[in-house]
Amino acid sequence: MTASDEAEYTGDVTPGGPAAVRDLPAMSITKVAVDEKMANNAYLLCCRRTGEQLLVDAADEPGVLLELVGDGGLTTVVTTHQHWDHHRALADVVAATGAEVVAGEPDAAAITEQTGVPVARTVTDGDTITVGDCTLEVIRVTGHTPGSICLLFDERPTGGVPHLFTGDSLFPGGVGGTFGDDDAFTNLIDDVERKIFGRLPDETWFYPGHGKDSTLGAERPHLAEWRDRGW
């Protein structure tokens, strides 16, 4: 079951609850939360012209994810980073759909080791991933893991706004965890400031790996606070 449209979309979903759908002119975004404990977000992106589909993070509950995919098939699964809670359904989803697995190069070996699923394509800064007529630009953000990636769908050329899928690198209220590693935190906050906030406008809507969405404009005033607190 799904709920909402572009006018109503908030990005608020809960495990076991309905998915939220955002219908952009060129692409639809379906957001669902899986696993009561971890409350991971997974995003199904569908090109509205071709019907081609891509999944961001096969996090858990393959039955839920495959129901979203439906009869339209799945071309690609992008795993945003190597942490176990973001790829627990990867093997089942790939076995059912034959989708190509894409991940950041430094995290690819760990993803395969943990899931048994080969990463067919590794990506880094500036690479692109297509879903039908829609193009996602890869932004590598180092710190939460060595190979974490964000995906940018930029509607500005057609009068829209940028949409950014951030995995666990950026959330409302701060960057992702770096587990007490000061160097990793510095790398992460530097990359987030330079590659995301330094490049993209306030109206950029971002979709994180857990919890609610936000905009860069809502978070930008707090960047110095995040850096000062060290997490």
Side-chain angles (χ1 to χ4, degrees):
M1 181 171 61
T2 61
S4 79
D5 59 21
E6 170 62 6
E8 302 171 349
Y9 177 87
T10 64
D12 295 345
V13 293
T14 57
V21 178
R22 186 172 205 173
D23 285 322
L24 307 177
M27 183 172 75
S28 68
I29 300 168
T30 303
K31 177 181 182 179
V32 67
V34 293
D35 181 1
E36 290 285 347
K37 182 178 180 180
M38 299 300 293
N40 289 83
N41 296 325
Y43 300 92
L44 184 69
L45 313 184
C46 179
C47 172
R48 292 173 62 82
R49 191 188 72 81
T50 68
E52 187 171 309
Q53 298 188 120
L54 175 150
L55 182 67
V56 180
D57 283 346
D60 199 16
E61 301 184 35
V64 170
L65 301 181
L66 290 170
E67 184 177 358
L68 289 185
V69 169
D71 296 331
L74 188 68
T75 302
T76 308
V77 180
V78 178
T79 302
T80 59
H81 62 289
Q82 65 177 272
H83 287 160
W84 65 276
D85 58 310
H86 288 262
H87 52 55
R88 287 166 290 173
L90 183 63
D92 288 338
V93 168
V94 170
T97 64
E100 178 183 63
V101 178
V102 179
E105 192 279 326
D107 279 13
I111 291 166
T112 296
E113 181 179 357
Q114 294 170 34
T115 65
V117 179
V119 174
R121 181 185 173 200
T122 59
V123 291
T124 191
D125 259 325
D127 288 340
T128 58
I129 303 166
T130 58
V131 50
D133 294 339
C134 304
T135 298
L136 307 172
E137 180 188 339
V138 175
I139 301 173
R140 179 178 168 186
V141 179
T142 303
H144 184 67
T145 67
S148 289
I149 57 173
C150 302
L151 302 173
L152 173 64
F153 178 61
D154 195 345
E155 286 192 303
R156 285 178 293 178
T158 57
V161 304
H163 299 264
L164 185 69
F165 301 87
T166 58
D168 282 3
S169 291
L170 177 64
F171 296 96
V175 295
T178 52
F179 318 104
D181 186 328
D182 292 341
D183 289 339
F185 172 76
T186 298
N187 286 337
L188 180 54
I189 194 72
D190 284 351
D191 274 2
V192 165
E193 279 201 278
R194 179 172 61 89
K195 295 182 177 182
I196 295 177
F197 285 92
R199 173 186 171 189
L200 296 172
D202 284 351
E203 59 266 27
T204 301
W205 189 286
F206 71 88
Y207 308 78
H210 305 261
K212 296 182 178 182
D213 304 350
S214 187
T215 64
L216 295 189
E219 308 304 322
R220 193 183 301 275
H222 306 291
L223 281 168
E225 171 193 338
W226 300 351
R227 186 179 287 276
D228 287 344
R229 77 187 183 191
W231 55 274

